[in-house]
Amino acid sequence: MEVDYLFQIGENIIYPMHGAGIIKAVEEKEILGEKQQCYIIKMSVGNMQITIPMDKILSSSIRPVTDIIELKHILHIFQHGESDEVLPWRQRYKVNTDKVKTGKILECAEVVRDLMRMKEEKALNTSEKEMLNNAHQFLISELGLIKGITENQIKSFC
């Protein structure tokens, strides 16, 4: 009997707050005394490996890599979209953290866009510099996996 998996071995995925990864294996692991089927995911950023039980995969917000059609929409918003109104930095940091945690490429692109625009006007504080670097790294890690993307499209996010 063949099991129907949400993701296949060798498939590229996006894990919120961690970026791009690849499904390396499906293994049976004992977790809290119970045997469970788990995805073994090798992350491209940070050189780490993550094990996630299959019954937790949906709640983890792991998703497939965005396609080129969605990327074109995101690119337009990245280049032409309006930045959020100016918020006090603590509130802005929370809003941006929540966006990155969704794992959605559009949300991550908005954080990168808005922080890059702010950086042009004034120096970012240490927390926002780190957030910009992390969000940018996650964004670039996914862009490199999208089939049909050009190098110029990737550079437009840099």
Side-chain angles (χ1 to χ4, degrees):
M1 179 172 98
E2 193 169 309
V3 179
D4 190 26
Y5 297 124
L6 186 59
F7 297 106
Q8 301 302 314
I9 294 170
E11 187 173 351
N12 291 309
I13 55 88
I14 303 302
Y15 190 3
M17 300 297 288
H18 296 287
I22 186 167
I23 305 291
K24 288 306 230 182
V26 175
E27 297 177 0
E28 188 171 83
K29 300 274 186 184
E30 189 169 317
I31 300 172
L32 300 171
E34 189 179 315
K35 290 186 187 260
Q36 297 185 30
Q37 290 289 103
C38 297
Y39 285 109
I40 309 300
I41 304 169
K42 173 79 171 107
M43 303 307 297
S44 57
V45 177
N47 197 27
M48 69 177 157
Q49 184 169 290
I50 298 172
T51 301
I52 300 181
M54 285 191 173
D55 63 349
K56 303 282 187 225
I57 202 78
L58 291 175
S59 64
S60 71
S61 297
I62 288 176
R63 63 173 175 78
V65 174
T66 301
D67 64 22
I68 190 71
I69 295 165
E70 178 66 13
L71 177 66
K72 288 179 180 180
H73 170 70
I74 291 163
L75 184 61
H76 178 78
I77 290 171
F78 186 82
Q79 293 172 335
H80 305 291
E82 293 296 317
S83 295
D84 292 335
E85 37 184 283
V86 179
L87 298 170
W89 91 264
R90 286 183 195 272
Q91 215 175 342
R92 184 175 59 242
Y93 185 81
K94 180 177 179 348
V95 166
N96 286 338
T97 299
D98 291 345
K99 282 183 175 184
V100 173
K101 282 182 180 178
T102 68
K104 295 178 182 169
I105 189 171
L106 177 59
E107 304 278 328
C108 193
E110 287 175 351
V111 170
V112 172
R113 176 198 65 204
D114 294 349
L115 290 177
M116 286 175 76
R117 286 177 179 172
M118 283 183 59
K119 186 178 172 185
E120 289 174 6
E121 295 173 17
K122 62 178 181 160
L124 298 176
N125 66 40
T126 306
S127 297
E128 287 184 314
K129 277 184 199 171
E130 186 177 329
M131 177 172 290
L132 174 57
N133 288 338
N134 289 339
H136 190 252
Q137 194 173 24
F138 299 151
L139 184 60
I140 296 300
S141 75
E142 180 166 3
L143 293 177
L145 298 175
I146 297 174
K147 291 180 180 13
I149 189 172
T150 66
E151 210 168 296
N152 285 339
Q153 286 172 314
I154 290 176
K155 286 180 181 174
S156 71
F157 285 99
C158 297

